[in-house]
Amino acid sequence: MTLDNLRAEIDAVDDELAALLARRMDLAARVAAIKRETGMPVFRPARERAILERLGARIEPQYLSALQTIYEAIFRASRAYQEGLI
């Protein structure tokens, strides 16, 4: 494979990730509505830990640090988004 081919594959994966992130944020908005109705807090550390544990068990160990870094950013963005909606 050439560098251009690999970059094209990365671009395709990035396109999928962006679409999935948008879908996740749409779902976070729906979660925010339920939290608002029930008075639940936006920040649920146990839930975030459970997500990281579940996903960490599904990937190769060498990717764990990257997964944690990426998901911590996703969690921060999701909390900020939810807090803006609540």
Side-chain angles (χ1 to χ4, degrees):
M1 256 199 190
T2 69
L3 182 59
D4 287 341
N5 293 125
L6 291 170
R7 285 181 173 163
E9 283 196 45
I10 288 173
D11 289 346
V13 169
D14 287 343
D15 291 345
E16 291 177 49
L17 287 171
L20 289 170
L21 181 60
R23 180 175 168 204
R24 191 183 198 289
M25 296 305 280
D26 287 342
L27 292 167
R30 293 169 63 186
V31 166
I34 292 170
K35 288 178 178 179
R36 180 177 51 246
E37 291 170 7
T38 60
M40 293 174 63
V42 168
F43 184 46
R44 304 288 302 263
R47 169 71 176 147
E48 292 181 10
R49 276 192 307 276
I51 291 169
L52 285 174
E53 289 174 11
R54 179 178 58 83
L55 295 176
R58 299 179 68 177
I59 66 169
E60 299 295 325
Q62 68 265 30
Y63 305 133
L64 281 175
S65 178
L67 177 92
Q68 289 174 329
T69 299
I70 291 165
Y71 267 85
E72 286 168 2
I74 289 171
F75 294 151
R76 277 192 310 276
S78 183
R79 285 192 307 267
Y81 184 59
Q82 287 184 45
E83 287 168 355
L85 297 173
I86 290 181

